[in-house]
Amino acid sequence: MVYSLDFLAAIFAMATGFATAWVAVEIVRLAGWREPEPAEGRLHPVRVGIEVALAAVLGPRLLLVNGFRNWRAGMMSLPLYALLALVAAGWSMCSGVIVLQLAFASGYFMA
C-alpha cells in the first residue's frame, strides 16, 4: 500500500535537491566560476574531486536550463526534453535525500 506521505516525502526531497542545485550554482558564480576551459596537462586530484562534486550537485539545474534552451532553439524535441526533465527530477531527488540526511545527521534538527 502506498501512502500519500510517501509521495510528499519524495516531492520534498526533490524540491530540496533542486533548491540545493540553485543555491550551489549561485555560490559558485559569486566565487567567480566561469565555463570550464580545456586544461593543459594533468589536473591536481583535489581540483578534479571538487569539479566532480560540483557537477553532482549542479547537474539537475544544468540539465533543465540547458535542455530548455536547446528546446526553445529547436535543437531538441519536446519528448526528449521531457525525458531530460524526468532524469533531472530523479537526480534531484537523490541529491535531495543526501542533503536531508546530512541535515538530520548534523543534529541541528533534533530539538
Side-chain angles (χ1 to χ4, degrees), residues 87-110:
V87 169
W91 189 347
S92 176
M93 195 177 303
C94 292
S95 63
V97 167
I98 291 172
V99 169
L100 288 172
Q101 285 180 346
L102 290 174
F104 286 118
S106 70
Y108 183 73
F109 294 101
M110 306 299 225

Side-chain angles (χ1 to χ4, degrees), residues 14 18 58-72 75-93:
M14 185 171 40
F18 278 125
L58 303 179
R61 187 215 183 261
L62 295 177
L63 279 178
L64 283 180
V65 170
N66 291 334
F68 184 73
R69 186 181 306 130
N70 289 336
W71 174 67
R72 294 282 295 183
M75 298 168 51
M76 179 183 293
S77 66
L78 185 60
L80 183 59
Y81 179 65
L83 181 66
L84 194 69
L86 285 174
V87 169
W91 189 347
S92 176
M93 195 177 303

Side-chain angles (χ1 to χ4, degrees), residues 43-53:
L43 293 177
H44 196 271
V46 173
R47 180 175 175 182
V48 172
I50 289 171
E51 289 179 359
V52 168

Side-chain angles (χ1 to χ4, degrees), residues 24-38:
V25 80
E26 294 304 321
I27 288 172
V28 296
R29 281 184 179 167
L30 284 172
W33 175 74
R34 300 289 179 256
E35 291 294 323
E37 298 176 6

